[in-house]
mmCIF file with all atom_site columns, all heavy atoms in Angstrom:
data_model
loop_
_atom_site.group_PDB
_atom_site.id
_atom_site.type_symbol
_atom_site.label_atom_id
_atom_site.label_alt_id
_atom_site.label_comp_id
_atom_site.label_asym_id
_atom_site.label_entity_id
_atom_site.label_seq_id
_atom_site.pdbx_PDB_ins_code
_atom_site.Cartn_x
_atom_site.Cartn_y
_atom_site.Cartn_z
_atom_site.occupancy
_atom_site.B_iso_or_equiv
_atom_site.pdbx_formal_charge
_atom_site.auth_seq_id
_atom_site.auth_comp_id
_atom_site.auth_asym_id
_atom_site.auth_atom_id
_atom_site.pdbx_PDB_model_num
ATOM 1   N N   . ALA A 1 259 ? 36.889 -2.437 1.073  1.00 98.00 ? 259 ALA A N   1
ATOM 2   C CA  . ALA A 1 259 ? 37.331 -1.188 0.450  1.00 98.00 ? 259 ALA A CA  1
ATOM 3   C C   . ALA A 1 259 ? 38.813 -0.950 0.738  1.00 98.00 ? 259 ALA A C   1
ATOM 4   O O   . ALA A 1 259 ? 39.593 -0.609 -0.165 1.00 98.00 ? 259 ALA A O   1
ATOM 5   C CB  . ALA A 1 259 ? 36.493 -0.021 0.967  1.00 98.00 ? 259 ALA A CB  1
ATOM 6   N N   . GLU A 1 260 ? 39.217 -1.161 1.977  1.00 97.00 ? 260 GLU A N   1
ATOM 7   C CA  . GLU A 1 260 ? 40.602 -0.860 2.342  1.00 97.00 ? 260 GLU A CA  1
ATOM 8   C C   . GLU A 1 260 ? 41.580 -1.866 1.750  1.00 97.00 ? 260 GLU A C   1
ATOM 9   O O   . GLU A 1 260 ? 42.682 -1.499 1.332  1.00 97.00 ? 260 GLU A O   1
ATOM 10  C CB  . GLU A 1 260 ? 40.711 -0.744 3.867  1.00 97.00 ? 260 GLU A CB  1
ATOM 11  C CG  . GLU A 1 260 ? 39.945 0.521  4.298  1.00 97.00 ? 260 GLU A CG  1
ATOM 12  C CD  . GLU A 1 260 ? 39.985 0.846  5.776  1.00 97.00 ? 260 GLU A CD  1
ATOM 13  O OE1 . GLU A 1 260 ? 40.464 -0.005 6.564  1.00 97.00 ? 260 GLU A OE1 1
ATOM 14  O OE2 . GLU A 1 260 ? 39.537 1.957  6.134  1.00 97.00 ? 260 GLU A OE2 1
ATOM 15  N N   . ARG A 1 261 ? 41.155 -3.092 1.675  1.00 96.00 ? 261 ARG A N   1
ATOM 16  C CA  . ARG A 1 261 ? 41.991 -4.146 1.083  1.00 96.00 ? 261 ARG A CA  1
ATOM 17  C C   . ARG A 1 261 ? 42.344 -3.811 -0.360 1.00 96.00 ? 261 ARG A C   1
ATOM 18  O O   . ARG A 1 261 ? 43.442 -4.050 -0.826 1.00 96.00 ? 261 ARG A O   1
ATOM 19  C CB  . ARG A 1 261 ? 41.222 -5.466 1.165  1.00 96.00 ? 261 ARG A CB  1
ATOM 20  C CG  . ARG A 1 261 ? 42.025 -6.703 0.804  1.00 96.00 ? 261 ARG A CG  1
ATOM 21  C CD  . ARG A 1 261 ? 41.216 -7.970 1.078  1.00 96.00 ? 261 ARG A CD  1
ATOM 22  N NE  . ARG A 1 261 ? 40.027 -8.067 0.223  1.00 96.00 ? 261 ARG A NE  1
ATOM 23  C CZ  . ARG A 1 261 ? 38.791 -8.268 0.671  1.00 96.00 ? 261 ARG A CZ  1
ATOM 24  N NH1 . ARG A 1 261 ? 38.565 -8.387 1.962  1.00 96.00 ? 261 ARG A NH1 1
ATOM 25  N NH2 . ARG A 1 261 ? 37.780 -8.344 -0.176 1.00 96.00 ? 261 ARG A NH2 1
ATOM 26  N N   . THR A 1 262 ? 41.370 -3.248 -1.078 1.00 96.00 ? 262 THR A N   1
ATOM 27  C CA  . THR A 1 262 ? 41.575 -3.009 -2.507 1.00 96.00 ? 262 THR A CA  1
ATOM 28  C C   . THR A 1 262 ? 41.836 -1.541 -2.828 1.00 96.00 ? 262 THR A C   1
ATOM 29  O O   . THR A 1 262 ? 41.944 -1.172 -3.987 1.00 96.00 ? 262 THR A O   1
ATOM 30  C CB  . THR A 1 262 ? 40.344 -3.504 -3.294 1.00 96.00 ? 262 THR A CB  1
ATOM 31  O OG1 . THR A 1 262 ? 39.175 -3.220 -2.539 1.00 96.00 ? 262 THR A OG1 1
ATOM 32  C CG2 . THR A 1 262 ? 40.418 -4.990 -3.537 1.00 96.00 ? 262 THR A CG2 1
ATOM 33  N N   . GLY A 1 263 ? 41.933 -0.719 -1.797 1.00 97.00 ? 263 GLY A N   1
ATOM 34  C CA  . GLY A 1 263 ? 42.247 0.689  -2.013 1.00 97.00 ? 263 GLY A CA  1
ATOM 35  C C   . GLY A 1 263 ? 41.176 1.477  -2.744 1.00 97.00 ? 263 GLY A C   1
ATOM 36  O O   . GLY A 1 263 ? 41.467 2.413  -3.489 1.00 97.00 ? 263 GLY A O   1
ATOM 37  N N   . ILE A 1 264 ? 39.919 1.105  -2.524 1.00 98.00 ? 264 ILE A N   1
ATOM 38  C CA  . ILE A 1 264 ? 38.808 1.831  -3.158 1.00 98.00 ? 264 ILE A CA  1
ATOM 39  C C   . ILE A 1 264 ? 38.347 2.947  -2.219 1.00 98.00 ? 264 ILE A C   1
ATOM 40  O O   . ILE A 1 264 ? 38.119 2.692  -1.033 1.00 98.00 ? 264 ILE A O   1
ATOM 41  C CB  . ILE A 1 264 ? 37.627 0.869  -3.441 1.00 98.00 ? 264 ILE A CB  1
ATOM 42  C CG1 . ILE A 1 264 ? 38.079 -0.279 -4.346 1.00 98.00 ? 264 ILE A CG1 1
ATOM 43  C CG2 . ILE A 1 264 ? 36.452 1.614  -4.073 1.00 98.00 ? 264 ILE A CG2 1
ATOM 44  C CD1 . ILE A 1 264 ? 37.145 -1.471 -4.313 1.00 98.00 ? 264 ILE A CD1 1
ATOM 45  N N   . PRO A 1 265 ? 38.233 4.187  -2.733 1.00 98.00 ? 265 PRO A N   1
ATOM 46  C CA  . PRO A 1 265 ? 37.746 5.244  -1.849 1.00 98.00 ? 265 PRO A CA  1
ATOM 47  C C   . PRO A 1 265 ? 36.308 4.957  -1.418 1.00 98.00 ? 265 PRO A C   1
ATOM 48  O O   . PRO A 1 265 ? 35.522 4.442  -2.203 1.00 98.00 ? 265 PRO A O   1
ATOM 49  C CB  . PRO A 1 265 ? 37.802 6.502  -2.730 1.00 98.00 ? 265 PRO A CB  1
ATOM 50  C CG  . PRO A 1 265 ? 37.750 5.994  -4.125 1.00 98.00 ? 265 PRO A CG  1
ATOM 51  C CD  . PRO A 1 265 ? 38.416 4.647  -4.117 1.00 98.00 ? 265 PRO A CD  1
ATOM 52  N N   . TYR A 1 266 ? 35.993 5.250  -0.169 1.00 98.00 ? 266 TYR A N   1
ATOM 53  C CA  . TYR A 1 266 ? 34.616 5.047  0.306  1.00 98.00 ? 266 TYR A CA  1
ATOM 54  C C   . TYR A 1 266 ? 34.295 6.105  1.341  1.00 98.00 ? 266 TYR A C   1
ATOM 55  O O   . TYR A 1 266 ? 35.195 6.745  1.895  1.00 98.00 ? 266 TYR A O   1
ATOM 56  C CB  . TYR A 1 266 ? 34.445 3.635  0.891  1.00 98.00 ? 266 TYR A CB  1
ATOM 57  C CG  . TYR A 1 266 ? 35.119 3.435  2.222  1.00 98.00 ? 266 TYR A CG  1
ATOM 58  C CD1 . TYR A 1 266 ? 34.414 3.593  3.418  1.00 98.00 ? 266 TYR A CD1 1
ATOM 59  C CD2 . TYR A 1 266 ? 36.476 3.117  2.298  1.00 98.00 ? 266 TYR A CD2 1
ATOM 60  C CE1 . TYR A 1 266 ? 35.043 3.435  4.644  1.00 98.00 ? 266 TYR A CE1 1
ATOM 61  C CE2 . TYR A 1 266 ? 37.109 2.959  3.519  1.00 98.00 ? 266 TYR A CE2 1
ATOM 62  C CZ  . TYR A 1 266 ? 36.392 3.115  4.688  1.00 98.00 ? 266 TYR A CZ  1
ATOM 63  O OH  . TYR A 1 266 ? 37.009 2.973  5.902  1.00 98.00 ? 266 TYR A OH  1
ATOM 64  N N   . GLN A 1 267 ? 33.014 6.302  1.608  1.00 98.00 ? 267 GLN A N   1
ATOM 65  C CA  . GLN A 1 267 ? 32.570 7.256  2.617  1.00 98.00 ? 267 GLN A CA  1
ATOM 66  C C   . GLN A 1 267 ? 31.623 6.538  3.574  1.00 98.00 ? 267 GLN A C   1
ATOM 67  O O   . GLN A 1 267 ? 30.850 5.683  3.139  1.00 98.00 ? 267 GLN A O   1
ATOM 68  C CB  . GLN A 1 267 ? 31.804 8.428  1.970  1.00 98.00 ? 267 GLN A CB  1
ATOM 69  C CG  . GLN A 1 267 ? 32.458 8.978  0.728  1.00 98.00 ? 267 GLN A CG  1
ATOM 70  C CD  . GLN A 1 267 ? 31.643 10.108 0.088  1.00 98.00 ? 267 GLN A CD  1
ATOM 71  O OE1 . GLN A 1 267 ? 31.382 11.127 0.708  1.00 98.00 ? 267 GLN A OE1 1
ATOM 72  N NE2 . GLN A 1 267 ? 31.256 9.931  -1.164 1.00 98.00 ? 267 GLN A NE2 1
ATOM 73  N N   . LEU A 1 268 ? 31.689 6.894  4.843  1.00 97.00 ? 268 LEU A N   1
ATOM 74  C CA  . LEU A 1 268 ? 30.708 6.344  5.783  1.00 97.00 ? 268 LEU A CA  1
ATOM 75  C C   . LEU A 1 268 ? 29.467 7.224  5.722  1.00 97.00 ? 268 LEU A C   1
ATOM 76  O O   . LEU A 1 268 ? 29.560 8.450  5.654  1.00 97.00 ? 268 LEU A O   1
ATOM 77  C CB  . LEU A 1 268 ? 31.281 6.317  7.200  1.00 97.00 ? 268 LEU A CB  1
ATOM 78  C CG  . LEU A 1 268 ? 32.402 5.289  7.399  1.00 97.00 ? 268 LEU A CG  1
ATOM 79  C CD1 . LEU A 1 268 ? 33.058 5.488  8.759  1.00 97.00 ? 268 LEU A CD1 1
ATOM 80  C CD2 . LEU A 1 268 ? 31.871 3.860  7.264  1.00 97.00 ? 268 LEU A CD2 1
ATOM 81  N N   . GLU A 1 269 ? 28.324 6.591  5.734  1.00 97.00 ? 269 GLU A N   1
ATOM 82  C CA  . GLU A 1 269 ? 27.074 7.328  5.505  1.00 97.00 ? 269 GLU A CA  1
ATOM 83  C C   . GLU A 1 269 ? 26.100 7.162  6.657  1.00 97.00 ? 269 GLU A C   1
ATOM 84  O O   . GLU A 1 269 ? 25.775 6.048  7.056  1.00 97.00 ? 269 GLU A O   1
ATOM 85  C CB  . GLU A 1 269 ? 26.412 6.796  4.219  1.00 97.00 ? 269 GLU A CB  1
ATOM 86  C CG  . GLU A 1 269 ? 25.032 7.364  3.968  1.00 97.00 ? 269 GLU A CG  1
ATOM 87  C CD  . GLU A 1 269 ? 24.159 6.458  3.097  1.00 97.00 ? 269 GLU A CD  1
ATOM 88  O OE1 . GLU A 1 269 ? 24.698 5.542  2.430  1.00 97.00 ? 269 GLU A OE1 1
ATOM 89  O OE2 . GLU A 1 269 ? 22.941 6.655  3.115  1.00 97.00 ? 269 GLU A OE2 1
ATOM 90  N N   . VAL A 1 270 ? 25.628 8.284  7.179  1.00 97.00 ? 270 VAL A N   1
ATOM 91  C CA  . VAL A 1 270 ? 24.498 8.271  8.108  1.00 97.00 ? 270 VAL A CA  1
ATOM 92  C C   . VAL A 1 270 ? 23.403 9.104  7.462  1.00 97.00 ? 270 VAL A C   1
ATOM 93  O O   . VAL A 1 270 ? 23.562 10.308 7.270  1.00 97.00 ? 270 VAL A O   1
ATOM 94  C CB  . VAL A 1 270 ? 24.868 8.863  9.482  1.00 97.00 ? 270 VAL A CB  1
ATOM 95  C CG1 . VAL A 1 270 ? 23.656 8.858  10.403 1.00 97.00 ? 270 VAL A CG1 1
ATOM 96  C CG2 . VAL A 1 270 ? 26.018 8.087  10.107 1.00 97.00 ? 270 VAL A CG2 1
ATOM 97  N N   . LEU A 1 271 ? 22.316 8.452  7.102  1.00 95.00 ? 271 LEU A N   1
ATOM 98  C CA  . LEU A 1 271 ? 21.215 9.144  6.426  1.00 95.00 ? 271 LEU A CA  1
ATOM 99  C C   . LEU A 1 271 ? 20.103 9.355  7.446  1.00 95.00 ? 271 LEU A C   1
ATOM 100 O O   . LEU A 1 271 ? 19.559 8.395  7.987  1.00 95.00 ? 271 LEU A O   1
ATOM 101 C CB  . LEU A 1 271 ? 20.724 8.303  5.239  1.00 95.00 ? 271 LEU A CB  1
ATOM 102 C CG  . LEU A 1 271 ? 19.581 8.872  4.407  1.00 95.00 ? 271 LEU A CG  1
ATOM 103 C CD1 . LEU A 1 271 ? 20.016 10.133 3.662  1.00 95.00 ? 271 LEU A CD1 1
ATOM 104 C CD2 . LEU A 1 271 ? 19.081 7.833  3.404  1.00 95.00 ? 271 LEU A CD2 1
ATOM 105 N N   . GLU A 1 272 ? 19.774 10.623 7.710  1.00 93.00 ? 272 GLU A N   1
ATOM 106 C CA  . GLU A 1 272 ? 18.819 10.885 8.795  1.00 93.00 ? 272 GLU A CA  1
ATOM 107 C C   . GLU A 1 272 ? 17.372 10.628 8.406  1.00 93.00 ? 272 GLU A C   1
ATOM 108 O O   . GLU A 1 272 ? 16.547 10.298 9.243  1.00 93.00 ? 272 GLU A O   1
ATOM 109 C CB  . GLU A 1 272 ? 19.000 12.319 9.308  1.00 93.00 ? 272 GLU A CB  1
ATOM 110 C CG  . GLU A 1 272 ? 20.354 12.481 10.010 1.00 93.00 ? 272 GLU A CG  1
ATOM 111 C CD  . GLU A 1 272 ? 20.509 13.830 10.655 1.00 93.00 ? 272 GLU A CD  1
ATOM 112 O OE1 . GLU A 1 272 ? 19.625 14.194 11.450 1.00 93.00 ? 272 GLU A OE1 1
ATOM 113 O OE2 . GLU A 1 272 ? 21.505 14.519 10.358 1.00 93.00 ? 272 GLU A OE2 1
ATOM 114 N N   . ARG A 1 273 ? 17.080 10.796 7.124  1.00 92.00 ? 273 ARG A N   1
ATOM 115 C CA  . ARG A 1 273 ? 15.711 10.517 6.671  1.00 92.00 ? 273 ARG A CA  1
ATOM 116 C C   . ARG A 1 273 ? 15.768 9.712  5.383  1.00 92.00 ? 273 ARG A C   1
ATOM 117 O O   . ARG A 1 273 ? 16.382 10.144 4.416  1.00 92.00 ? 273 ARG A O   1
ATOM 118 C CB  . ARG A 1 273 ? 14.939 11.801 6.408  1.00 92.00 ? 273 ARG A CB  1
ATOM 119 C CG  . ARG A 1 273 ? 14.489 12.535 7.652  1.00 92.00 ? 273 ARG A CG  1
ATOM 120 C CD  . ARG A 1 273 ? 13.461 13.609 7.292  1.00 92.00 ? 273 ARG A CD  1
ATOM 121 N NE  . ARG A 1 273 ? 13.900 14.407 6.135  1.00 92.00 ? 273 ARG A NE  1
ATOM 122 C CZ  . ARG A 1 273 ? 14.733 15.436 6.227  1.00 92.00 ? 273 ARG A CZ  1
ATOM 123 N NH1 . ARG A 1 273 ? 15.221 15.799 7.386  1.00 92.00 ? 273 ARG A NH1 1
ATOM 124 N NH2 . ARG A 1 273 ? 15.079 16.116 5.153  1.00 92.00 ? 273 ARG A NH2 1
ATOM 125 N N   . GLY A 1 274 ? 15.127 8.577  5.381  1.00 93.00 ? 274 GLY A N   1
ATOM 126 C CA  . GLY A 1 274 ? 15.101 7.748  4.176  1.00 93.00 ? 274 GLY A CA  1
ATOM 127 C C   . GLY A 1 274 ? 15.503 6.333  4.512  1.00 93.00 ? 274 GLY A C   1
ATOM 128 O O   . GLY A 1 274 ? 16.079 6.073  5.570  1.00 93.00 ? 274 GLY A O   1
ATOM 129 N N   . GLY A 1 275 ? 15.158 5.424  3.610  1.00 95.00 ? 275 GLY A N   1
ATOM 130 C CA  . GLY A 1 275 ? 15.495 4.021  3.825  1.00 95.00 ? 275 GLY A CA  1
ATOM 131 C C   . GLY A 1 275 ? 15.577 3.301  2.500  1.00 95.00 ? 275 GLY A C   1
ATOM 132 O O   . GLY A 1 275 ? 15.220 3.865  1.464  1.00 95.00 ? 275 GLY A O   1
ATOM 133 N N   . THR A 1 276 ? 16.072 2.084  2.539  1.00 97.00 ? 276 THR A N   1
ATOM 134 C CA  . THR A 1 276 ? 16.207 1.296  1.309  1.00 97.00 ? 276 THR A CA  1
ATOM 135 C C   . THR A 1 276 ? 15.714 -0.126 1.549  1.00 97.00 ? 276 THR A C   1
ATOM 136 O O   . THR A 1 276 ? 15.292 -0.474 2.644  1.00 97.00 ? 276 THR A O   1
ATOM 137 C CB  . THR A 1 276 ? 17.679 1.191  0.858  1.00 97.00 ? 276 THR A CB  1
ATOM 138 O OG1 . THR A 1 276 ? 18.348 0.276  1.746  1.00 97.00 ? 276 THR A OG1 1
ATOM 139 C CG2 . THR A 1 276 ? 18.385 2.528  0.914  1.00 97.00 ? 276 THR A CG2 1
ATOM 140 N N   . ASP A 1 277 ? 15.854 -0.924 0.500  1.00 97.00 ? 277 ASP A N   1
ATOM 141 C CA  . ASP A 1 277 ? 15.434 -2.330 0.543  1.00 97.00 ? 277 ASP A CA  1
ATOM 142 C C   . ASP A 1 277 ? 16.018 -3.110 1.719  1.00 97.00 ? 277 ASP A C   1
ATOM 143 O O   . ASP A 1 277 ? 15.397 -4.048 2.209  1.00 97.00 ? 277 ASP A O   1
ATOM 144 C CB  . ASP A 1 277 ? 15.826 -3.017 -0.767 1.00 97.00 ? 277 ASP A CB  1
ATOM 145 C CG  . ASP A 1 277 ? 14.825 -2.727 -1.885 1.00 97.00 ? 277 ASP A CG  1
ATOM 146 O OD1 . ASP A 1 277 ? 13.688 -2.308 -1.575 1.00 97.00 ? 277 ASP A OD1 1
ATOM 147 O OD2 . ASP A 1 277 ? 15.176 -2.929 -3.059 1.00 97.00 ? 277 ASP A OD2 1
#
Side-chain angles (χ1 to χ4, degrees):
Chain A
E260 292 183 350
R261 190 173 65 233
T262 37
I264 302 162
Y266 72 95
Q267 316 178 59
L268 290 171
E269 173 204 344
V270 179
L271 180 66
E272 293 186 54
R273 285 193 313 277
T276 74
D277 279 342

